[in-house]
Each structure stands twice: as structure tokens, then as C-alpha cells.
């Protein structure tokens, strides 16, 4: 079957090498900055380990059977699908740098297509409780009375968030790993990048210690080149305990 992209290696050993390089390169700090959820990272690691184990069995004449051969093919199809998902969802510039892009094994391609202008629309965020513990659902869309951006630009939503304790964070809380907010943000400049998404809904899950604190979320459109548009209004909701 022909590849749908030109960056995926052909030989299975090279696919494993690329995936294992991704896993090693995605430190905890990078995963946080790039918006990679822990369960997605764990899933990628498990799929990679399973594919390697099965490939080793298939390389042993005493272990290789028709069933093993089928399981190897199935494992690599699943792994490739997950890797393509990671590249499309999480490996974007920004927040990645050109150095990150090269370290992950990608090369920039020259494009002869017409330039895509920066998005000029303004998105709206609304927040709701889906009913799950410590979970808030962010609903994304265009401001009322405006049209959605042209899908050919490859645009999506760059979502930013921040958490503020009652009355505002102390200096110590603001300097902590979670960078709690000291005051109500006016726009997204004071918030932390959460994730890029093309979906109209995104689920936000929080730690137990954040229950009762206020979540602030803001978004702006981002095109396929990482260029961003205007900040939308800041939405807020108390995180359920």
C-alpha cells in the first residue's frame, strides 16, 4: 500500500527507530509545551514496544508463524496510524522549533502553492460541565455573526488556558510548575498554550488540587503555517471538585 505521506520510513526497523527517537526526545517538559496528553504518550510507547517484540519474533524461524506474520503487519499499521496522528496533532511549528522538527526526523519542504494569509477571524470559546469529575468542556467556533475560516488554509484553534486560585495566586504559586494566575487575564497573552485542535470541542481534565479554582480559556485561529489571528474573548468557569 502506498504511503499517504513522504516522511514515514519504509523498512519496519526504520519506523521503529523513528518512533523510539520521538519517545526519547519527548521529555516531560516538551510534552507539556506541545500539549501531548500523558495517555497519548503512553499509548505511543506501548504500540512501539509491541511492534518491536512482534518483529523480533517474526525474525526468529522458530517463532515465525502465519499468525505472527499477520500480527506484525497489524501492529505496524496501528503504529503508523498513531505516528501520523502525532505528527498532525502535536508536532506543529510553533510550539515546536525548527530544531525540534529536525530532531524528530522531519525535513521542511518547499511549497509552490499560493501563500496562505494569516487568519483574520476571531473565535469564541464557551465552557460547560460534561458531568465528569474535574472536567470542563471547551466549545470552539466563530464569533456570532461571522463566518468560519476557509478550511483550505488548514486552520484550527490554538487554545490557551490558566488557573487562578480564589483571590489570585501568591508569588510562590505563580512561580510553581502550574504557573497559577495572580489576576484575571484580559486576553490570551498571560495564558499558557494548551493545545492545537481542529475539533469544535476539546475536553480539559484537571488535577484534584485544582478543584474550586477558576479556569480561564482563550483561543485564536491558527493556520497550517503556525500563523495566528486575533484573540477571542476570555471564558471562565470554576473547576469542579
Amino acid at each position: 500500500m502506498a504511503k499517504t505521506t513522504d516522511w514515514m520510513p519504509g523498512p519496519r526497523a526504520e519506523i521503529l527507530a523513528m518512533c523510539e527517537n520521538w519517545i526519547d526526545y519527548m521529555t516531560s517538559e516538551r510534552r507539556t509545551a506541545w500539549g501531548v496528553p500523558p495517555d497519548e504518550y503512553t499509548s505511543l510507547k506501548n504500540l512501539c514496544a509491541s511492534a518491536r517484540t512482534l518483529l523480533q519474533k517474526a525474525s526468529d524461524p522458530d517463532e515465525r508463524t502465519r499468525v505472527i506474520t499477520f500480527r506484525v503487519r497489524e501492529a505496524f499499521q496501528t503504529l503508523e496510524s498513531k505516528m501520523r496522528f502525532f505528527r498532525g496533532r502535536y508536532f506543529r511549528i510553533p510550539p515546536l522549533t525548527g530544531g525540534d522538527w529536525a530532531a524528530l526526523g522531519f525535513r521542511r519542504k518547499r511549497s509552490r502553492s499560493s501563500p496562505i494569509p494569516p487568519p483574520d477571524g476571531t473565535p469564541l470559546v464557551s465552557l460547560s460541565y460534561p458531568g465528569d469529575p474535574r472536567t470542563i468542556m471547551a466549545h470552539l467556533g466563530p464569533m456570532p455573526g461571522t463566518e468560519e475560516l476557509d478550511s483550505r488554509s488548514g486552520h484550527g484553534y490554538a487554545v490557551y488556558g490558566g488557573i487562578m486560585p480564589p483571590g489570585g495566586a501568591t508569588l510562590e504559586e505563580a512561580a510553581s510548575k502550574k504557573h497559577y494566575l495572580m489576576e484575571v487575564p484580559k486576553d490570551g497573552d498571560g495564558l499558557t498554550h494548551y493545545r492545537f485542535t481542529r475539533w469544535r470541542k476539546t475536553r480539559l481534565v484537571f488535577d484534584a488540587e485544582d478543584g474550586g479554582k477558576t479556569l480561564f480559556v482563550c483561543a485564536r485561529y491558527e493556520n497550517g503555517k503556525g500563523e495566528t489571528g486575533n484573540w477571542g474573548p476570555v471564558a471562565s468557569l470554576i473547576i469542579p471538585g
Side-chain angles (χ1 to χ4, degrees):
M1 181 181 296
K3 304 289 185 195
T4 57
T5 55
D6 61 0
W7 57 267
M8 181 73 72
R12 287 168 173 166
E14 293 183 15
I15 293 173
L16 287 173
M18 171 176 266
C19 187
E20 289 168 348
N21 175 55
W22 289 7
I23 292 167
D24 291 340
Y25 191 74
M26 280 191 287
T27 61
S28 176
E29 292 78 10
R30 289 189 177 109
R31 296 198 302 273
T32 299
W34 300 351
V36 179
D39 57 340
E40 288 289 359
Y41 177 72
T42 299
S43 175
L44 181 68
K45 286 181 64 176
N46 291 342
L47 290 174
C48 187
S50 177
R52 177 168 288 284
T53 298
L54 288 168
L55 185 62
Q56 289 172 344
K57 286 185 177 181
S59 301
D60 185 345
D62 295 331
E63 293 270 2
R64 186 170 62 245
T65 64
R66 292 180 63 183
V67 172
I68 290 295
T69 300
F70 173 80
R71 290 181 63 193
V72 168
R73 182 167 63 250
E74 187 177 51
F76 274 87
Q77 288 174 346
T78 304
L79 178 61
E80 288 184 32
S81 177
K82 178 64 74 173
M83 290 173 69
R84 290 193 176 98
F85 171 80
F86 260 73
R87 185 183 187 274
R89 178 67 66 87
Y90 305 121
F91 297 162
R92 303 182 60 82
I93 300 177
L96 275 70
T97 66
D100 293 325
W101 191 254
L104 290 168
F106 303 129
R107 292 182 298 176
R108 286 184 175 272
K109 295 185 294 182
R110 294 181 179 178
S111 174
R112 297 182 180 178
S113 59
S114 299
I116 301 173
D120 58 2
T122 303
L124 178 69
V125 180
S126 62
L127 305 175
S128 68
Y129 297 120
D132 299 327
R134 302 188 304 278
T135 302
I136 289 176
M137 185 73 75
H139 307 264
L140 305 161
M143 289 286 288
T146 64
E147 296 183 358
E148 186 67 274
L149 296 186
D150 188 342
S151 61
R152 290 175 297 177
S153 69
H155 85 278
Y157 302 93
V159 182
Y160 293 72
I163 300 172
M164 189 176 79
T170 63
L171 288 174
E172 183 179 3
E173 289 174 326
S176 69
K177 181 173 62 176
K178 291 193 175 182
H179 302 294
Y180 288 116
L181 301 173
M182 300 180 70
E183 58 184 18
V184 175
K186 296 180 180 179
D187 55 34
D189 284 336
L191 303 179
T192 302
H193 183 271
Y194 182 74
R195 67 173 50 161
F196 173 90
T197 180
R198 290 191 173 91
W199 298 98
R200 297 290 289 269
K201 293 182 181 181
T202 187
R203 185 179 296 267
L204 313 176
V205 182
F206 304 91
D207 298 330
E209 64 185 7
D210 294 327
K213 298 180 175 68
T214 302
L215 169 70
F216 294 90
V217 177
C218 190
R220 55 187 177 183
Y221 285 121
E222 181 177 315
N223 67 15
K225 298 190 296 182
E227 297 171 323
T228 54
N230 304 320
W231 287 116
V234 178
S236 64
L237 199 62
I238 294 176
I239 299 170

